[in-house]
Amino acid sequence: MTSAAGSPPTGRARLADVAALAGVSVGTASKALNGAGRMRPETRQRVLDAVEELGFRPNQHAQSLHSGRSWTVGLMTTDGIGRFSTPVLLGAEDALGAGKISVLLCDTRGDAIREQHHLRNLTDRRVDGIIVTGRRTDPRPPLTGIDPAIPVVYALSPSTDPADTSVVTDDRGGAHLAVEHLLATGRTRIAHVTGPEHHQAARDRARHAVEHLAGAGLELATGRVHFGEWSEAWGRRAADAVLRTAPDTDAVFCGNDQIARGVADALRERGKEVPGDIAVVGYDNWDTMALACRPPLTTVDMNLAEIGRIAALRLLQAIDAEPDPGVHTVPCRLVVRESS
Amino acid sequence: MTSAAGSPPTGRARLADVAALAGVSVGTASKALNGAGRMRPETRQRVLDAVEELGFRPNQHAQSLHSGRSWTVGLMTTDGIGRFSTPVLLGAEDALGAGKISVLLCDTRGDAIREQHHLRNLTDRRVDGIIVTGRRTDPRPPLTGIDPAIPVVYALSPSTDPADTSVVTDDRGGAHLAVEHLLATGRTRIAHVTGPEHHQAARDRARHAVEHLAGAGLELATGRVHFGEWSEAWGRRAADAVLRTAPDTDAVFCGNDQIARGVADALRERGKEVPGDIAVVGYDNWDTMALACRPPLTTVDMNLAEIGRIAALRLLQAIDAEPDPGVHTVPCRLVVRESS
DNA sequence: ACCGTCTAGGAAAAGGTTTGCCCGTGACCT
DNA sequence: AGGTCACGGGCAAACCTTTTCCTAGACGGT
């Protein structure tokens, strides 16, 4: 029961204690634990029994010091933890945590100084890799001043440098899904209300919606895309505009769920039945909006958690020295509810 | 320029390289960096110059191995990263990141297995402390099987063990603020619509609202608390019930912003002016609800980020071996908008 | 019976920093 | 002039694990 030398100064058992208890050397104990080296089965078992008895857990700092790896990745989010980055972050955490990798959370609040601060911190901690997520789909400049040996994956907001690895949502496919669904349910006079034109997501979704309509020989019911804000208030105003311009509109594809909800509210208040008279389709599948809407919204789900998960997998791959640069898109999914 | 022995095997400069360049021993270089020990100013400066020239950054793994500290705290959130835990988490991250402490994110998804898994992981990493946040204000059982040497602070959901340190919102004060505001603006026939009675937050807010009204010699306009769900749909239904039971109601205090929004919508649709005829006050100050509501909601802000920050500070304090057990409440703040 | 081969397991270095302890030198005091 | 003290700085242990290299013993073959 007495473990050779002094009892461990830290309350925890060290490998040396295990070795002493098992009657082997420290090196042998290590090999027994890691399955390396050859040894008699009963010797290995004695070591494992000792581990069990002492409740030994290896000191990760020592392991990391030796291996140079920290079994940790940095997760930098640039806008607080917004509605978009949260699921991405959770997806990544899930994929990484399944292994023995943990996630260091860094929030830059969009501040370049903070970003540098965190970057230095992560570098000092010798993280194995970094995932950068943004709030929007607009490309962002790559991290600067970073040790090139640390792999980086950009999620949601791609890097402007095509040599980096980015994982983004498929806005084209999303718009396609929404429009196709409306067409398939017999709608032909479709309007599009979305966010600010200077947002890439708004532009992309609009462009692909228009293209897809054109492919079916159709045009937008109001003849143009209604760019505005990502808000309910804008959705309400835009709905009025749509009804004025093209009273025969039978569907509105909205750039996000907030707009869609505003549209649905305004339509109802103008005496239009949703979906009887006019179908409404949103984008984001943000539960609190989509489910609270009257009626609940059909909407495009970007599979954000999946984006996070894939970003994590790409990162793991890059850590194993098999980087796969370029922009990877993750398909969306249509969630059909009662508004269409 | 040649740095004594071999060039560093890792691309990074080691303290030994710095020492060689400065012409001192490794130990001295270390002391120069840490301000410890006594030495000639010019010696210290030579070391600092060498650090600068080589871009030296200490290897944290080595530091941690030596000190036993990881300069890291675990942040366990039990329900994904919900609307409530997110601000708490950011507040904590902010307070901790200001020092040189980083945050390890662990999401248990409410799963006890996962919680144990993460707990072992955090223990293995020798985190300096752990912050546990929940979704609700209901007390939760303390972490089990944890090394007692690791300080833990519970945020938002207090621990059931009063010997633990918990930081929670002040539901009493919040209810007080809301009711006082309504009274101060001349309302006297006040109804209360809130969430499920089995939620502590709902019970507490209701109880304190009633008590405060009683203090002013008043009772609830409908004679009872309307317990239900935390949803807009419930808010709408409850508003109807309130109007039926007590048509002369001139204010509704709601248990959260979703309910409040539902109430406001229903009131408007029943031809009641908000706030002209009836004032509405929400709870949570959840922007997307409070601002999108027509009219924008007066609401109670729980200062969640502050809760996170204070939890972080308490944790730092506990890490410095000055624990301060018990439940600490953080006051709320009333945000007055147009609904009252 | 001797030599070669193979195996189990030990010894020690490496990974990088901190820190307690010690020593040499120069200054100051008596 | 000798002793004491303070100061500057070096040495080495400690933190703990992994991994390479090596040795002693056993076993088989001739």
Side-chain angles (χ1 to χ4, degrees):
Chain A
M1 194 54 70
T2 41
S3 60
S7 63
T10 156
R12 282 155 160 123
R14 298 161 306 171
L15 189 52
D17 301 315
V18 171
L21 183 56
V24 297
S25 76
V26 183
T28 303
S30 172
K31 290 172 199 159
L33 275 178
N34 302 324
R38 278 169 314 213
M39 58 204 311
R40 251 181 322 215
E42 59 260 37
T43 306
R44 185 182 305 275
Q45 194 54 51
R46 272 212 320 281
V47 173
L48 295 180
D49 290 345
V51 165
E52 188 71 24
E53 178 172 343
L54 298 176
F56 168 79
R57 310 239 74 208
N59 182 320
Q60 286 226 10
H61 294 316
Q63 291 183 317
S64 292
L65 173 59
H66 184 267
S67 66
R69 285 197 60 175
S70 60
W71 302 98
T72 293
V73 312
L75 211 30
M76 303 231 344
T77 134
T78 56
D79 67 325
I81 303 191
R83 184 154 50 86
F84 297 118
S85 39
T86 301
V88 174
L89 196 150
L90 287 181
E93 197 262 359
D94 191 45
L96 294 168
K100 50 176 300 193
I101 294 195
S102 292
V103 168
L104 277 176
L105 182 64
C106 303
D107 177 21
T108 68
R109 285 165 172 63
D111 176 2
I113 307 279
R114 252 184 239 261
E115 181 166 312
Q116 282 305 311
H117 172 78
H118 279 127
L119 219 47
R120 271 228 311 283
N121 195 340
L122 292 179
T123 310
D124 288 351
R125 289 177 184 274
R126 306 290 202 269
V127 292
D128 298 337
I130 300 178
I131 294 179
V132 181
T133 92
R135 169 176 37 184
R136 305 210 317 243
T137 62
D138 298 71
R140 55 153 290 153
L143 297 182
T144 59
I146 193 186
D147 182 333
I150 302 182
V152 180
V153 171
Y154 298 82
L156 211 51
S157 303
S159 163
T160 49
D161 183 346
D164 288 329
T165 303
S166 303
V167 180
V168 302
T169 182
D170 180 12
D171 272 329
R172 175 194 234 287
H176 190 103
L177 275 175
V179 171
E180 184 58 35
H181 168 69
L182 290 173
L183 293 176
T185 51
R187 314 285 172 165
T188 54
R189 293 174 301 282
I190 302 174
H192 183 45
V193 179
T194 190
E197 188 162 9
H198 66 269
H199 278 200
Q200 172 117 16
R203 284 200 310 276
D204 283 352
R205 291 169 195 171
R207 182 159 49 89
H208 293 126
V210 169
E211 280 176 8
H212 194 59
L213 279 177
L218 295 171
E219 293 192 342
L220 285 172
T222 58
R224 65 183 183 91
V225 173
H226 296 258
F227 287 107
E229 307 158 19
W230 298 115
S231 71
E232 292 185 53
W234 163 242
R236 291 194 294 265
R237 289 203 309 276
D240 285 343
V242 167
L243 289 182
R244 254 193 330 268
T245 316
D248 60 346
T249 295
D250 62 8
V252 184
F253 168 37
C254 302
N256 79 355
D257 286 345
Q258 283 166 282
I259 293 174
R261 181 162 185 195
V263 167
D265 280 348
L267 291 178
R268 192 179 57 252
E269 286 163 16
R270 298 293 171 271
K272 295 284 187 183
E273 283 280 323
V274 175
D277 301 324
I278 302 186
V280 176
V281 172
Y283 209 108
D284 289 350
N285 192 25
W286 182 18
D287 331 20
T288 32
M289 279 296 145
L291 294 177
C293 187
R294 288 176 285 171
L297 280 177
T298 293
T299 184
V300 176
D301 188 309
M302 294 190 277
N303 284 322
L304 292 175
E306 190 63 15
I307 290 182
R309 184 166 301 122
I310 291 183
L313 295 180
R314 297 274 173 207
L315 186 64
L316 292 177
Q317 197 178 329
I319 290 172
D320 292 339
E322 300 167 8
D324 187 3
V327 175
H328 307 268
T329 62
V330 175
C332 300
R333 176 169 59 95
L334 187 73
V335 180
V336 179
R337 297 203 183 86
E338 298 156 40
S339 71
S340 69
Chain B
M1 193 56 70
T2 41
S3 62
S7 63
T10 156
R12 283 152 161 128
R14 299 160 306 175
L15 189 53
D17 301 317
V18 171
L21 182 57
V24 297
S25 77
V26 182
T28 304
S30 172
K31 288 169 194 158
L33 275 178
N34 301 326
R38 281 167 315 210
M39 59 205 308
R40 246 179 325 207
E42 60 260 37
T43 305
R44 187 180 304 273
Q45 194 53 51
R46 272 212 320 282
V47 173
L48 295 180
D49 289 346
V51 164
E52 187 72 23
E53 178 172 344
L54 298 175
F56 168 81
R57 311 238 74 209
N59 182 322
Q60 286 226 9
H61 294 316
Q63 289 184 316
S64 292
L65 171 60
H66 182 268
S67 66
R69 284 197 62 174
S70 61
W71 301 99
T72 293
V73 313
L75 209 32
M76 302 228 349
T77 132
T78 56
D79 69 324
I81 303 191
R83 186 152 49 86
F84 297 119
S85 39
T86 301
V88 175
L89 197 150
L90 287 181
E93 197 260 0
D94 191 45
L96 295 168
K100 50 177 298 190
I101 295 195
S102 292
V103 167
L104 277 175
L105 182 65
C106 303
D107 176 22
T108 69
R109 283 164 175 64
D111 176 3
I113 306 278
R114 253 183 239 264
E115 181 166 312
Q116 280 306 310
H117 170 78
H118 279 129
L119 220 46
R120 271 227 311 282
N121 194 340
L122 292 179
T123 312
D124 287 353
R125 289 178 185 273
R126 306 289 202 271
V127 292
D128 298 336
I130 299 179
I131 294 179
V132 181
T133 90
R135 169 175 37 187
R136 304 209 318 242
T137 61
D138 298 72
R140 55 152 292 153
L143 296 182
T144 59
I146 193 183
D147 182 333
I150 301 183
V152 180
V153 171
Y154 298 81
L156 211 49
S157 302
S159 163
T160 49
D161 184 345
D164 289 328
T165 303
S166 304
V167 180
V168 302
T169 182
D170 179 13
D171 272 329
R172 174 191 234 288
H176 190 103
L177 275 175
V179 171
E180 184 57 36
H181 167 69
L182 290 173
L183 293 176
T185 51
R187 315 283 172 165
T188 53
R189 295 175 299 280
I190 302 174
H192 184 44
V193 179
T194 189
E197 189 163 10
H198 65 268
H199 278 200
Q200 171 115 17
R203 284 200 310 278
D204 283 353
R205 291 168 196 173
R207 181 159 48 89
H208 292 127
V210 169
E211 280 176 9
H212 193 57
L213 279 176
L218 295 171
E219 294 192 344
L220 284 173
T222 58
R224 66 183 181 92
V225 173
H226 297 258
F227 288 107
E229 307 157 18
W230 299 115
S231 70
E232 291 184 53
W234 163 242
R236 291 194 295 264
R237 289 203 309 278
D240 285 343
V242 167
L243 287 183
R244 255 193 329 270
T245 315
D248 61 344
T249 296
D250 63 8
V252 183
F253 169 38
C254 303
N256 78 356
D257 287 342
Q258 283 167 284
I259 294 173
R261 183 166 181 190
V263 166
D265 280 348
L267 291 179
R268 191 178 57 251
E269 288 163 17
R270 298 291 170 269
K272 294 286 186 184
E273 283 280 324
V274 176
D277 301 325
I278 302 186
V280 175
V281 172
Y283 209 107
D284 288 350
N285 192 25
W286 181 17
D287 331 18
T288 33
M289 278 297 145
L291 293 177
C293 186
R294 286 176 286 170
L297 280 175
T298 292
T299 184
V300 176
D301 188 309
M302 294 189 278
N303 285 324
L304 292 175
E306 190 63 15
I307 291 182
R309 182 164 304 126
I310 291 183
L313 296 180
R314 296 275 174 208
L315 186 64
L316 291 177
Q317 196 179 329
I319 290 172
D320 292 339
E322 299 166 10
D324 187 2
V327 175
H328 307 268
T329 62
V330 175
C332 300
R333 174 169 61 93
L334 186 73
V335 179
V336 179
R337 296 205 184 86
E338 297 156 40
S339 71
S340 70

